[in-house]
Tab-separated table of all heavy atoms in Angstrom:
chain	number	residue	atom	x	y	z
A	1	PRO	N	-17.103	-6.176	18.878
A	1	PRO	CA	-16.548	-5.009	18.278
A	1	PRO	C	-15.471	-5.332	17.201
A	1	PRO	O	-15.503	-4.722	16.056
A	1	PRO	CB	-15.965	-4.137	19.307
A	1	PRO	CG	-16.693	-4.626	20.550
A	1	PRO	CD	-16.946	-6.102	20.358
A	2	ALA	N	-14.597	-6.188	17.497
A	2	ALA	CA	-13.550	-6.589	16.505
A	2	ALA	C	-14.086	-7.264	15.290
A	2	ALA	O	-13.761	-6.954	14.104
A	2	ALA	CB	-12.550	-7.533	17.189
A	3	ARG	N	-15.131	-8.205	15.507
A	3	ARG	CA	-15.685	-8.783	14.338
A	3	ARG	C	-16.420	-7.780	13.461
A	3	ARG	O	-16.432	-7.918	12.247
A	3	ARG	CB	-16.675	-9.935	14.819
A	3	ARG	CG	-15.925	-11.094	15.321
A	3	ARG	CD	-16.924	-12.270	15.661
A	3	ARG	NE	-17.998	-11.629	16.413
A	3	ARG	CZ	-18.819	-12.311	17.179
A	3	ARG	NH1	-18.886	-13.612	17.127
A	3	ARG	NH2	-19.876	-11.644	17.830
A	4	ALA	N	-17.125	-6.832	14.050
A	4	ALA	CA	-17.939	-5.879	13.378
A	4	ALA	C	-16.912	-4.989	12.566
A	4	ALA	O	-17.118	-4.644	11.361
A	4	ALA	CB	-18.717	-5.017	14.297
A	5	ALA	N	-15.874	-4.549	13.202
A	5	ALA	CA	-14.837	-3.808	12.463
A	5	ALA	C	-14.203	-4.488	11.303
A	5	ALA	O	-14.031	-3.956	10.258
A	5	ALA	CB	-13.707	-3.237	13.358
A	6	ALA	N	-13.997	-5.810	11.454
A	6	ALA	CA	-13.424	-6.546	10.420
A	6	ALA	C	-14.472	-6.666	9.163
A	6	ALA	O	-14.111	-6.521	8.070
A	6	ALA	CB	-13.027	-7.947	10.819
A	7	LEU	N	-15.694	-6.797	9.539
A	7	LEU	CA	-16.788	-6.847	8.384
A	7	LEU	C	-16.857	-5.486	7.795
A	7	LEU	O	-16.996	-5.448	6.561
A	7	LEU	CB	-18.078	-7.305	9.023
A	7	LEU	CG	-18.215	-8.692	9.437
A	7	LEU	CD1	-19.579	-8.926	10.177
A	7	LEU	CD2	-18.131	-9.569	8.297
A	8	ILE	N	-16.699	-4.434	8.460
A	8	ILE	CA	-16.806	-3.125	7.835
A	8	ILE	C	-15.500	-2.966	6.978
A	8	ILE	O	-15.667	-2.441	5.788
A	8	ILE	CB	-16.889	-2.025	8.927
A	8	ILE	CG1	-18.279	-2.046	9.553
A	8	ILE	CG2	-16.664	-0.574	8.270
A	8	ILE	CD1	-18.427	-1.201	10.842
A	9	ASP	N	-14.445	-3.369	7.362
A	9	ASP	CA	-13.152	-3.222	6.608
A	9	ASP	C	-13.260	-4.093	5.276
A	9	ASP	O	-12.888	-3.555	4.207
A	9	ASP	CB	-11.927	-3.665	7.405
A	9	ASP	CG	-11.686	-2.725	8.505
A	9	ASP	OD1	-12.056	-1.516	8.456
A	9	ASP	OD2	-10.897	-3.053	9.437
A	10	ILE	N	-13.837	-5.228	5.415
A	10	ILE	CA	-13.988	-6.017	4.198
A	10	ILE	C	-15.021	-5.431	3.223
A	10	ILE	O	-14.753	-5.394	2.071
A	10	ILE	CB	-14.354	-7.475	4.549
A	10	ILE	CG1	-13.148	-8.211	5.256
A	10	ILE	CG2	-14.863	-8.310	3.352
A	10	ILE	CD1	-13.502	-9.575	5.703
A	11	ALA	N	-15.969	-4.876	3.775
A	11	ALA	CA	-17.037	-4.225	2.988
A	11	ALA	C	-16.385	-3.004	2.188
A	11	ALA	O	-16.671	-2.756	1.054
A	11	ALA	CB	-18.252	-3.735	3.770
A	12	SER	N	-15.496	-2.207	2.891
A	12	SER	CA	-14.890	-1.097	2.247
A	12	SER	C	-13.931	-1.545	1.106
A	12	SER	O	-13.786	-0.923	0.092
A	12	SER	CB	-14.134	-0.251	3.254
A	12	SER	OG	-13.036	-0.912	3.779
A	13	ILE	N	-13.319	-2.704	1.346
A	13	ILE	CA	-12.369	-3.247	0.354
A	13	ILE	C	-13.185	-3.726	-0.855
A	13	ILE	O	-12.814	-3.545	-2.047
A	13	ILE	CB	-11.500	-4.409	0.835
A	13	ILE	CG1	-10.551	-3.866	1.948
A	13	ILE	CG2	-10.754	-5.141	-0.291
A	13	ILE	CD1	-9.760	-4.953	2.647
A	14	ASP	N	-14.359	-4.428	-0.576
A	14	ASP	CA	-15.231	-4.839	-1.688
A	14	ASP	C	-15.734	-3.668	-2.514
A	14	ASP	O	-15.816	-3.760	-3.729
A	14	ASP	CB	-16.449	-5.586	-1.125
A	14	ASP	CG	-16.157	-7.051	-0.680
A	14	ASP	OD1	-15.148	-7.551	-1.188
A	14	ASP	OD2	-16.898	-7.534	0.098
A	15	LYS	N	-16.061	-2.584	-1.790
A	15	LYS	CA	-16.506	-1.405	-2.484
A	15	LYS	C	-15.393	-0.805	-3.324
A	15	LYS	O	-15.668	-0.401	-4.522
A	15	LYS	CB	-16.947	-0.386	-1.447
A	15	LYS	CG	-17.526	0.887	-2.081
A	15	LYS	CD	-18.139	1.858	-1.070
A	15	LYS	CE	-18.634	3.061	-1.620
A	15	LYS	NZ	-19.046	4.024	-0.563
A	16	ALA	N	-14.178	-0.808	-2.931
A	16	ALA	CA	-13.077	-0.325	-3.655
A	16	ALA	C	-12.785	-1.281	-4.811
A	16	ALA	O	-12.492	-0.770	-6.027
A	16	ALA	CB	-11.765	-0.232	-2.751
A	17	VAL	N	-12.858	-2.549	-4.768
A	17	VAL	CA	-12.721	-3.512	-5.860
A	17	VAL	C	-13.776	-3.216	-6.895
A	17	VAL	O	-13.511	-3.279	-8.075
A	17	VAL	CB	-12.721	-4.928	-5.355
A	17	VAL	CG1	-12.862	-5.952	-6.485
A	17	VAL	CG2	-11.574	-5.342	-4.428
A	18	GLY	N	-15.076	-3.002	-6.463
A	18	GLY	CA	-16.062	-2.668	-7.420
A	18	GLY	C	-15.801	-1.475	-8.093
A	18	GLY	O	-16.148	-1.335	-9.363
A	19	ALA	N	-15.341	-0.393	-7.387
A	19	ALA	CA	-15.114	0.867	-8.061
A	19	ALA	C	-13.914	0.763	-9.117
A	19	ALA	O	-13.929	1.266	-10.201
A	19	ALA	CB	-14.771	1.999	-7.102
A	20	PHE	N	-12.944	-0.017	-8.715
A	20	PHE	CA	-11.758	-0.259	-9.620
A	20	PHE	C	-12.259	-1.048	-10.776
A	20	PHE	O	-11.877	-0.703	-11.932
A	20	PHE	CB	-10.700	-1.193	-8.850
A	20	PHE	CG	-9.479	-1.361	-9.665
A	20	PHE	CD1	-8.351	-0.602	-9.381
A	20	PHE	CD2	-9.273	-2.365	-10.616
A	20	PHE	CE1	-7.154	-0.701	-9.994
A	20	PHE	CE2	-8.177	-2.562	-11.322
A	20	PHE	CZ	-7.068	-1.749	-11.018
A	21	GLN	N	-13.073	-2.022	-10.583
A	21	GLN	CA	-13.538	-2.853	-11.768
A	21	GLN	C	-14.355	-1.891	-12.725
A	21	GLN	O	-14.292	-1.992	-13.969
A	21	GLN	CB	-14.390	-4.022	-11.249
A	21	GLN	CG	-14.506	-5.107	-12.218
A	21	GLN	CD	-15.526	-4.888	-13.305
A	21	GLN	OE1	-16.504	-4.217	-13.214
A	21	GLN	NE2	-15.262	-5.533	-14.489
A	22	ALA	N	-15.217	-1.001	-12.122
A	22	ALA	CA	-16.110	-0.221	-12.964
A	22	ALA	C	-15.206	0.815	-13.829
A	22	ALA	O	-15.501	1.059	-14.902
A	22	ALA	CB	-17.047	0.524	-12.084
A	23	MET	N	-14.236	1.321	-13.114
A	23	MET	CA	-13.345	2.418	-13.776
A	23	MET	C	-12.178	1.765	-14.713
A	23	MET	O	-12.053	2.279	-15.760
A	23	MET	CB	-12.567	3.265	-12.788
A	23	MET	CG	-13.591	4.106	-11.926
A	23	MET	SD	-14.591	5.214	-12.861
A	23	MET	CE	-13.304	6.402	-13.352
A	24	GLU	N	-11.679	0.653	-14.336
A	24	GLU	CA	-10.522	0.084	-15.211
A	24	GLU	C	-11.020	-1.009	-16.071
A	24	GLU	O	-10.304	-1.433	-16.910
A	24	GLU	CB	-9.463	-0.466	-14.146
A	24	GLU	CG	-8.985	0.532	-13.093
A	24	GLU	CD	-8.261	1.796	-13.786
A	24	GLU	OE1	-7.632	1.664	-14.827
A	24	GLU	OE2	-8.431	2.969	-13.190
A	25	GLY	N	-12.137	-1.551	-15.828
A	25	GLY	CA	-12.651	-2.658	-16.700
A	25	GLY	C	-12.070	-3.987	-16.403
A	25	GLY	O	-12.215	-4.886	-17.111
A	26	ARG	N	-11.494	-4.147	-15.189
A	26	ARG	CA	-10.878	-5.351	-14.745
A	26	ARG	C	-10.765	-5.352	-13.215
A	26	ARG	O	-10.882	-4.352	-12.646
A	26	ARG	CB	-9.514	-5.547	-15.353
A	26	ARG	CG	-8.497	-4.635	-14.957
A	26	ARG	CD	-7.050	-4.802	-15.504
A	26	ARG	NE	-6.142	-3.774	-15.118
A	26	ARG	CZ	-5.482	-3.771	-13.853
A	26	ARG	NH1	-5.667	-4.701	-13.081
A	26	ARG	NH2	-4.665	-2.733	-13.696
A	27	ASN	N	-10.560	-6.562	-12.694
A	27	ASN	CA	-10.357	-6.542	-11.243
A	27	ASN	C	-8.835	-6.217	-10.966
A	27	ASN	O	-7.984	-6.528	-11.792
A	27	ASN	CB	-10.637	-7.969	-10.769
A	27	ASN	CG	-12.111	-8.301	-10.634
A	27	ASN	OD1	-12.924	-7.425	-10.369
A	27	ASN	ND2	-12.483	-9.532	-10.862
A	28	PRO	N	-8.585	-5.693	-9.779
A	28	PRO	CA	-7.127	-5.380	-9.421
A	28	PRO	C	-6.415	-6.738	-9.327
A	28	PRO	O	-6.929	-7.713	-8.903
A	28	PRO	CB	-7.207	-4.718	-8.168
A	28	PRO	CG	-8.559	-4.849	-7.605
A	28	PRO	CD	-9.465	-5.209	-8.678
A	29	LYS	N	-5.088	-6.598	-9.637
A	29	LYS	CA	-4.286	-7.824	-9.622
A	29	LYS	C	-3.917	-8.091	-8.077
A	29	LYS	O	-3.755	-9.292	-7.847
A	29	LYS	CB	-2.928	-7.552	-10.340
A	29	LYS	CG	-3.168	-7.387	-11.788
A	29	LYS	CD	-1.836	-6.992	-12.519
A	29	LYS	CE	-2.117	-6.591	-14.002
A	29	LYS	NZ	-1.063	-5.889	-14.599
A	30	SER	N	-3.985	-7.155	-7.265
A	30	SER	CA	-3.701	-7.419	-5.898
A	30	SER	C	-4.402	-6.271	-5.069
A	30	SER	O	-4.812	-5.328	-5.640
A	30	SER	CB	-2.211	-7.376	-5.578
A	30	SER	OG	-1.698	-6.099	-5.772
A	31	LEU	N	-4.484	-6.425	-3.798
A	31	LEU	CA	-5.099	-5.423	-2.939
A	31	LEU	C	-4.144	-4.255	-2.805
A	31	LEU	O	-4.617	-3.066	-2.729
A	31	LEU	CB	-5.333	-6.001	-1.529
A	31	LEU	CG	-6.437	-7.075	-1.433
A	31	LEU	CD1	-6.564	-7.605	-0.020
A	31	LEU	CD2	-7.714	-6.659	-1.944
């Protein structure tokens, strides 16, 4: 369960990074 939750959390961060890159035209400087 802990490993699955960590993978889901990383996937949500990856999705947010992708949305940021699409909207801002660059990767975020930090999380």
Side-chain angles (χ1 to χ4, degrees):
R3 287 185 311 196
L7 288 174
I8 290 170
D9 291 341
I10 290 175
S12 67
I13 295 172
D14 281 337
K15 185 177 177 182
V17 169
F20 185 98
Q21 203 282 331
M23 295 299 290
E24 307 295 329
R26 63 176 177 85
N27 287 331
K29 295 174 185 164
S30 68
L31 294 177

